Amino acid sequence: MRILITGGAGFLGSHLCERLLGEGHEIICLDNFFTGRKRNIAHLLNNPYFELVRHDVTEPFKFEVDQIYNLACPASPPHYQHNPIKTVKTSVMGAIHSLGLAKRTGARVFQASTSEVYGDPNVHPQPESYHGNVNPIGIRACYDEGKRCAETLFFDYHRQNQVDIRVVRIFNTYGPRMLPDDGRVVSNFIVQAIQGKDLTIYGDGSQTRSFCYVDDLIEGFIRLMNHPTLIGPVNIGNPGEFTMLELAEMVLEKIGGPSKITYLPLPGDDPKQRQPDISLAKAELHWQPSISLDQGLDATIHYFRNLLAQA
Ligand code: NAD
Ligand code: UDP
């Protein structure tokens, strides 16, 4: 198949490009390089079945493709809050352009949605049927509401135009190829510890997240995209739930050195807890994560040690 991946030079996108090329598909990787990097896909550039296109999804795009994965959107709070209006445009216009292309070509189209659609959840763990608790005017809204609107567009194009959609709700995912200055918690803690700096916990560190290793997530993507009938939304994530204090202690124990923990103010609307209910993915996709946080952290630490040694 010929497959378009928007945001293909980013953290998740580059792993997806690699996986699908390995399965014998032809890949068009589209990216504006806001948070994506050429180094993430440099090893793929000589492959004749890999094509890189510098383009912004807020502008229309046309390709003859069989499948579309729409991943373009900055995912880390400092990056998506850097230009919040652009973040909304990326989610909404990017969805409209991906869906328009799918409508014209008949391609199946996949949306990388997020656990952020659940906001600061009152239901725990979060099943797909939970409608969420999002502040529509807060500092996270550009991302949360942009992604919620993208889901709306996906389901309306499906109902109105019979577009063949797949929607995944991704819970916090980490691994090699996150940016060292990405701003998300796993990369922050690892980079801080390797550099001997103090680990920055926002708030008192009692808030929880459930961390999925990238390889497990990509397997879930492929299973949903190729499922004959399930359109989603489907939660994909690792139900293992940790406080930020527990995460910091794990990273410190693995890396050692002089780093300690320092506490900084909690940003606005920061969700207090998050854990995916993955019953649907287990039942329908026969998917569940296989890589523990302990194993995934080791692989991620190895990546950042090499990257920072080159810098
Ligand atoms: P990332 O920031 O590494 O990747 C996003 C990619 O999209 C980058 O390559 C960036 O340059 C590109 N991009 C951004 N705006 C663009 C635009 N206007 N036009 C073209 N390209 C653009 O983040 P990621 O973690 O790889 O996330 C990928 C997708 O998965 C995003 O849609 C994100 O919202 C979603 N997601 C990720 C997580 C996670 O934990 N990693 C969780 C929930 C949802
Ligand atoms: N966080 C933290 N220190 C950091 C970065 C993040 O304590 O250096 C906290 C953040 O406040 C949040 C959690 O870690 O409670 C996860 O943050 P991240 O940005 O990785 O993901 P999200 O909040 O979008 O789930």
Side-chain angles (χ1 to χ4, degrees):
M1 283 188 285
R2 189 178 304 137
I3 302 177
L4 171 66
I5 303 177
T6 77
F11 161 47
L12 299 179
S14 61
H15 287 273
L16 185 61
C17 286
E18 203 173 77
R19 167 78 189 257
L20 291 170
L21 267 180
E23 290 183 2
H25 301 294
E26 201 176 320
I27 302 300
I28 302 174
C29 167
L30 181 156
D31 208 294
N32 73 349
F33 296 105
F34 176 46
T35 50
R37 292 293 178 268
K38 283 226 178 99
R39 70 161 180 266
N40 288 343
I41 40 139
H43 60 298
L44 307 177
L45 290 173
N46 284 333
N47 187 318
Y49 296 105
F50 182 79
E51 226 175 309
L52 177 63
V53 180
R54 181 186 284 265
H55 185 81
D56 194 303
V57 293
T58 59
E59 302 291 337
F61 43 90
K62 279 188 183 168
F63 304 96
E64 294 305 320
V65 288
D66 305 297
Q67 288 188 341
I68 304 163
Y69 286 85
N70 183 37
L71 270 60
C73 187
S76 115
H79 287 131
Y80 70 64
Q81 287 162 10
H82 169 73
N83 184 346
I85 297 168
K86 173 77 190 215
T87 300
V88 175
K89 284 185 185 168
T90 294
S91 271
V92 175
M93 299 308 296
I96 290 173
H97 293 144
S98 299
L99 287 158
L101 182 63
K103 182 179 163 190
R104 190 178 65 78
T105 57
R108 181 171 290 176
V109 59
F110 175 105
Q111 170 64 2
S113 191
T114 169
S115 54
E116 289 287 320
V117 301
Y118 302 124
D120 189 5
N122 299 319
V123 172
H124 194 74
Q126 295 80 54
E128 291 84 352
S129 55
Y130 177 51
H131 292 174
N133 175 34
V134 174
N135 173 2
I137 57 170
I139 57 170
R140 295 174 83 100
C142 60
Y143 183 75
D144 301 9
E145 297 290 13
K147 289 284 186 180
R148 287 172 67 97
C149 183
E151 286 200 12
T152 306
L153 286 161
F154 267 70
F155 279 81
D156 281 334
Y157 268 77
H158 177 65
R159 283 186 288 255
Q160 196 174 329
N161 299 118
Q162 293 73 52
V163 171
D164 188 12
I165 61 164
R166 298 288 182 273
V167 176
V168 67
R169 290 184 179 153
I170 306 166
F171 284 66
N172 298 62
T173 301
Y174 68 98
R177 303 204 192 119
M178 295 181 91
L179 292 177
D181 61 349
D182 178 89
R184 283 177 275 189
V185 69
V186 175
S187 46
N188 269 12
F189 284 178
I190 291 176
V191 170
Q192 287 163 345
I194 292 174
Q195 294 179 335
K197 296 179 182 159
D198 288 347
L199 274 57
T200 53
I201 287 191
Y202 303 159
D204 63 6
S206 64
Q207 71 271 38
T208 67
R209 294 293 186 274
S210 302
F211 297 104
C212 185
Y213 188 68
V214 58
D215 291 356
D216 279 333
L217 183 88
I218 298 295
E219 179 61 32
F221 276 20
I222 308 274
R223 289 192 191 202
L224 175 61
M225 185 57 143
N226 297 299
H227 191 281
T229 51
L230 182 69
I231 62 174
V234 180
N235 289 338
I236 297 284
N238 190 324
E241 186 181 359
F242 298 85
T243 66
M244 295 311 101
L245 190 56
E246 286 170 334
L247 177 70
E249 281 164 355
M250 280 179 83
V251 170
L252 282 179
E253 197 181 309
K254 285 179 180 294
I255 297 180
S259 304
K260 296 190 174 48
I261 288 173
T262 177
Y263 292 89
L264 296 176
L266 189 67
D269 290 332
D270 201 281
K272 284 182 276 306
Q273 54 180 0
R274 201 184 276 150
Q275 189 200 104
D277 177 336
I278 59 165
S279 314
L280 181 63
K282 273 186 179 167
E284 297 293 330
L285 305 177
H286 310 294
W287 177 89
Q288 60 179 352
S290 61
I291 299 160
S292 66
L293 183 59
D294 186 52
Q295 296 166 307
L297 281 180
D298 286 343
T300 311
I301 290 169
H302 178 74
Y303 169 79
F304 278 114
R305 279 198 201 281
N306 285 338
L307 186 78
L308 297 172
Q310 289 161 22

PDB file of all heavy atoms in Angstrom, residues 66-78:
ATOM      1  N   ASP A  66      -3.499   4.887  -0.184  1.00  0.00           N
ATOM      2  CA  ASP A  66      -4.453   3.864   0.261  1.00  0.00           C
ATOM      3  C   ASP A  66      -4.829   4.045   1.733  1.00  0.00           C
ATOM      4  O   ASP A  66      -5.917   3.656   2.159  1.00  0.00           O
ATOM      5  CB  ASP A  66      -3.839   2.469   0.087  1.00  0.00           C
ATOM      6  CG  ASP A  66      -3.378   2.242  -1.342  1.00  0.00           C
ATOM      7  OD1 ASP A  66      -4.233   2.258  -2.233  1.00  0.00           O
ATOM      8  OD2 ASP A  66      -2.156   2.086  -1.560  1.00  0.00           O
ATOM      9  N   GLN A  67      -3.874   4.576   2.517  1.00  0.00           N
ATOM     10  CA  GLN A  67      -4.147   4.811   3.938  1.00  0.00           C
ATOM     11  C   GLN A  67      -3.505   6.142   4.346  1.00  0.00           C
ATOM     12  O   GLN A  67      -2.476   6.534   3.792  1.00  0.00           O
ATOM     13  CB  GLN A  67      -3.536   3.706   4.814  1.00  0.00           C
ATOM     14  CG  GLN A  67      -4.238   2.368   4.727  1.00  0.00           C
ATOM     15  CD  GLN A  67      -3.720   1.362   5.757  1.00  0.00           C
ATOM     16  OE1 GLN A  67      -2.625   1.511   6.309  1.00  0.00           O
ATOM     17  NE2 GLN A  67      -4.516   0.331   6.011  1.00  0.00           N
ATOM     18  N   ILE A  68      -4.120   6.788   5.351  1.00  0.00           N
ATOM     19  CA  ILE A  68      -3.581   8.036   5.896  1.00  0.00           C
ATOM     20  C   ILE A  68      -3.544   7.907   7.416  1.00  0.00           C
ATOM     21  O   ILE A  68      -4.571   7.584   8.031  1.00  0.00           O
ATOM     22  CB  ILE A  68      -4.488   9.238   5.546  1.00  0.00           C
ATOM     23  CG1 ILE A  68      -4.703   9.354   4.030  1.00  0.00           C
ATOM     24  CG2 ILE A  68      -3.914  10.538   6.125  1.00  0.00           C
ATOM     25  CD1 ILE A  68      -5.894  10.254   3.656  1.00  0.00           C
ATOM     26  N   TYR A  69      -2.381   8.149   8.006  1.00  0.00           N
ATOM     27  CA  TYR A  69      -2.284   8.282   9.465  1.00  0.00           C
ATOM     28  C   TYR A  69      -2.080   9.763   9.756  1.00  0.00           C
ATOM     29  O   TYR A  69      -1.067  10.336   9.344  1.00  0.00           O
ATOM     30  CB  TYR A  69      -1.078   7.514  10.008  1.00  0.00           C
ATOM     31  CG  TYR A  69      -1.209   6.004  10.049  1.00  0.00           C
ATOM     32  CD1 TYR A  69      -0.919   5.225   8.943  1.00  0.00           C
ATOM     33  CD2 TYR A  69      -1.574   5.353  11.236  1.00  0.00           C
ATOM     34  CE1 TYR A  69      -0.995   3.837   9.004  1.00  0.00           C
ATOM     35  CE2 TYR A  69      -1.653   3.969  11.296  1.00  0.00           C
ATOM     36  CZ  TYR A  69      -1.366   3.217  10.189  1.00  0.00           C
ATOM     37  OH  TYR A  69      -1.432   1.843  10.256  1.00  0.00           O
ATOM     38  N   ASN A  70      -3.020  10.400  10.468  1.00  0.00           N
ATOM     39  CA  ASN A  70      -2.885  11.830  10.767  1.00  0.00           C
ATOM     40  C   ASN A  70      -2.321  12.024  12.174  1.00  0.00           C
ATOM     41  O   ASN A  70      -3.054  11.955  13.164  1.00  0.00           O
ATOM     42  CB  ASN A  70      -4.248  12.530  10.636  1.00  0.00           C
ATOM     43  CG  ASN A  70      -4.108  14.025  10.870  1.00  0.00           C
ATOM     44  OD1 ASN A  70      -3.111  14.651  10.467  1.00  0.00           O
ATOM     45  ND2 ASN A  70      -5.079  14.616  11.532  1.00  0.00           N
ATOM     46  N   LEU A  71      -1.016  12.267  12.224  1.00  0.00           N
ATOM     47  CA  LEU A  71      -0.330  12.441  13.515  1.00  0.00           C
ATOM     48  C   LEU A  71       0.152  13.865  13.724  1.00  0.00           C
ATOM     49  O   LEU A  71       0.698  14.182  14.782  1.00  0.00           O
ATOM     50  CB  LEU A  71       0.889  11.501  13.594  1.00  0.00           C
ATOM     51  CG  LEU A  71       0.679  10.098  14.169  1.00  0.00           C
ATOM     52  CD1 LEU A  71      -0.335   9.309  13.364  1.00  0.00           C
ATOM     53  CD2 LEU A  71       2.001   9.341  14.230  1.00  0.00           C
ATOM     54  N   ALA A  72       0.037  14.729  12.710  1.00  0.00           N
ATOM     55  CA  ALA A  72       0.639  16.064  12.811  1.00  0.00           C
ATOM     56  C   ALA A  72      -0.030  16.871  13.917  1.00  0.00           C
ATOM     57  O   ALA A  72      -1.232  17.126  13.863  1.00  0.00           O
ATOM     58  CB  ALA A  72       0.512  16.792  11.475  1.00  0.00           C
ATOM     59  N   CYS A  73       0.731  17.254  14.904  1.00  0.00           N
ATOM     60  CA  CYS A  73       0.300  18.124  16.011  1.00  0.00           C
ATOM     61  C   CYS A  73       1.356  18.054  17.101  1.00  0.00           C
ATOM     62  O   CYS A  73       1.749  16.946  17.483  1.00  0.00           O
ATOM     63  CB  CYS A  73      -1.039  17.654  16.601  1.00  0.00           C
ATOM     64  SG  CYS A  73      -1.697  18.820  17.821  1.00  0.00           S
ATOM     65  N   PRO A  74       1.836  19.186  17.591  1.00  0.00           N
ATOM     66  CA  PRO A  74       2.763  19.100  18.719  1.00  0.00           C
ATOM     67  C   PRO A  74       2.050  18.466  19.906  1.00  0.00           C
ATOM     68  O   PRO A  74       0.874  18.751  20.147  1.00  0.00           O
ATOM     69  CB  PRO A  74       3.135  20.559  19.000  1.00  0.00           C
ATOM     70  CG  PRO A  74       2.075  21.373  18.350  1.00  0.00           C
ATOM     71  CD  PRO A  74       1.507  20.562  17.226  1.00  0.00           C
ATOM     72  N   ALA A  75       2.760  17.615  20.655  1.00  0.00           N
ATOM     73  CA  ALA A  75       2.097  16.844  21.710  1.00  0.00           C
ATOM     74  C   ALA A  75       2.508  17.276  23.112  1.00  0.00           C
ATOM     75  O   ALA A  75       1.829  16.942  24.081  1.00  0.00           O
ATOM     76  CB  ALA A  75       2.407  15.357  21.517  1.00  0.00           C
ATOM     77  N   SER A  76       3.624  17.992  23.238  1.00  0.00           N
ATOM     78  CA  SER A  76       4.064  18.329  24.593  1.00  0.00           C
ATOM     79  C   SER A  76       3.508  19.701  24.995  1.00  0.00           C
ATOM     80  O   SER A  76       3.451  20.619  24.163  1.00  0.00           O
ATOM     81  CB  SER A  76       5.594  18.308  24.648  1.00  0.00           C
ATOM     82  OG  SER A  76       6.096  19.579  24.898  1.00  0.00           O
ATOM     83  N   PRO A  77       3.058  19.840  26.255  1.00  0.00           N
ATOM     84  CA  PRO A  77       2.417  21.106  26.649  1.00  0.00           C
ATOM     85  C   PRO A  77       3.230  22.366  26.301  1.00  0.00           C
ATOM     86  O   PRO A  77       2.669  23.286  25.712  1.00  0.00           O
ATOM     87  CB  PRO A  77       2.171  20.918  28.150  1.00  0.00           C
ATOM     88  CG  PRO A  77       1.999  19.437  28.306  1.00  0.00           C
ATOM     89  CD  PRO A  77       2.954  18.812  27.324  1.00  0.00           C
ATOM     90  N   PRO A  78       4.536  22.455  26.591  1.00  0.00           N
ATOM     91  CA  PRO A  78       5.244  23.702  26.213  1.00  0.00           C
ATOM     92  C   PRO A  78       5.202  23.959  24.711  1.00  0.00           C
ATOM     93  O   PRO A  78       5.111  25.111  24.286  1.00  0.00           O
ATOM     94  CB  PRO A  78       6.688  23.460  26.678  1.00  0.00           C
ATOM     95  CG  PRO A  78       6.662  22.283  27.556  1.00  0.00           C
ATOM     96  CD  PRO A  78       5.416  21.518  27.302  1.00  0.00           C
TER      97      PRO A  78
END
